[in-house]
Amino acid sequence: MTRTLRTQVAVIGAGPAGLLLSQLLAGAGIETVVIDRKDRAYIEGRIRAGVLEQGTVDALSEAGVGDRLHREGLIHHGFDLCFDGDRHRIDLRGLTGKSVTVYGQTEVTKDLFERRFAQAQQFFLGASDTRPEGLKDTRPSVHFTHKGRQIAVEADFIAGCDGFHGPSRQAIPPEVLRTFERVYPFGWLGIMVERPPVSHELIYANHARGFALASMRSQTRSRYYLQCGMQENIADWPDERFWEELSLRLGSDTAASLQTGASFEKSIAPLRSFVAEPMRYGNLFLAGDAAHIVPPTGAKGLNLAVADVRLLSRALIAHYLDHNDHYIDTYSQAVLSRVWKVERFSWQLSTLMHQFPENSPFEQRMQRAEFDYITGSEAAARSIAENYVGLPLE
Ligand code: RFL
Ligand code: PHB
């Protein structure tokens, strides 16, 4: 027998997009039910993003989950680009007046979960076979199995915040949905280590052996990435090999300060640019990775998900509180206009900073010329900086 529940907004996905949307709507007195296929510990442990734009920090603060972020987040006023050993600082604050905050996605989701649980949010975690249905109806619904029971959640709207592989985007008929994609011919091999970072700011390096990134989560915990082949196996990357390769790519001056140790997480992520249009179909709205993916080079994925949710929450709040559907009707268009700009930046920085197997000497010279332009022109550096700190919401 199916148990049927009724809510205002059914949210599929309890990643940062779904949790924040639920939290923002709760602040306006709008009821949500959140459904995810994974459990809380799994979601909180998923190591991903590390850099938050000011707009993301503001959104989390407004949602009432900014306390620990303000206490523990590291404010960064710049970062380094390094090309064939030449290192250049992008002075974010000097060029834009803004900064970014280093605070892990794991911590963002922990803060959001804690808040949603404290407010007795209705969650169905560990759900399987989730299916959004009746998207063009006035009462769409989400069906799934939870602890062996069939559940149907009837809602006014469904928010598809279920990431790249989730069912929401797939529920949009193929003749309506248009997708755009670029898959990069390499991945990122990432490790986490309980050691102080090699530098107090992030370093993005393009070396003849491939890209490297020196990042961090705190003053004592570092996150490093190496460009690697798509077919590579983690088992072929014992820590010693990782440190050796990272030292080569960062260059001897930087590597001299590198504190190595045993990694406690190691994974390979593919790099992809992807956009699905439109982001609304009937009463289904897509937000975050469900609608778009950026390669991680610009640190934009989580920030983009938060920006979507800010616009979606505004649209739903205007619908319920002001009986105004203007923002609902313009949601897809407004979000996509910003999404494409962020896609462009992430693609540009990825193209500049990686070794592409297919690159001819011409493309290599183009990369070098672009790096020299950025380091020699304040206008070019400011363009990088204004994108990195985050474009305005609209
Ligand atoms: P998420 O986080 O993927 O959450 C989606 C949720 O939906 C659930 N789900 C389902 N639920 C029910 N039924 C189903 N059938 C379902 N299928 C899936 C999933 O379990 C999950 O809980 O998407 P969301 O919320 O849109 O958030 C997006 C971000 O997670 C993502 O964009 C970032 O992590 C990307 N990213 C980075 N973003 C940044 O802003 N700054 C960074 O520094 C940064 N670094 C990164 C990154 C992503 C990385 N990887 C591994 C892809 C570094 C890496 C290595
Ligand atoms: C990270 O710390 O995981 C990180 C930082 C910057 C990026 C991507 C990932 O551009």
Side-chain angles (χ1 to χ4, degrees), residues 79-82 202-206 211-213 297-299 349 353 388:
F79 68 90
D80 281 1
L81 287 179
C82 187
L202 272 62
I203 307 170
Y204 294 80
N206 186 347
F211 168 82
L213 168 59
T297 325
L349 204 58
M353 297 310 291
Y388 198 85

Side-chain angles (χ1 to χ4, degrees), residues 48-51 188 202 204 213 215-217 223 225 296-299:
R48 286 183 170 177
V51 178
W188 277 20
L202 272 62
Y204 294 80
L213 168 59
S215 182
M216 67 194 73
R217 288 293 176 274
R223 177 81 164 147
Y225 295 97
T297 325

Side-chain angles (χ1 to χ4, degrees), residues 11-20 35-39 42-43 46-53 56 103 105 109 113 124-131 142 144 160-168 188-190 202 204 213 215 217 223 225 265 267-271 287-306 308-309 388:
V11 179
I12 311 181
L19 289 172
L20 179 61
I35 303 133
D36 201 290
R37 60 201 272 265
K38 298 291 186 188
D39 63 26
Y42 182 96
I43 298 168
R46 209 158 35 198
I47 295 174
R48 286 183 170 177
V51 178
L52 308 183
E53 297 170 357
T56 300
Y103 190 70
Q105 181 167 331
T109 41
F113 259 124
F124 289 94
L125 301 179
S128 59
D129 199 19
T130 307
R131 303 174 317 277
V142 182
F144 53 94
C161 304
D162 44 1
F164 185 62
H165 300 285
S168 296
W188 277 20
L189 168 65
L202 272 62
Y204 294 80
L213 168 59
S215 182
R217 288 293 176 274
R223 177 81 164 147
Y225 295 97
E265 199 265 350
S267 53
I268 295 180
L271 265 72
D289 279 15
H292 42 69
I293 298 288
V294 285
T297 325
K300 290 291 162 224
L302 169 60
N303 292 299
L304 211 44
V306 167
D308 290 2
V309 159
Y388 198 85

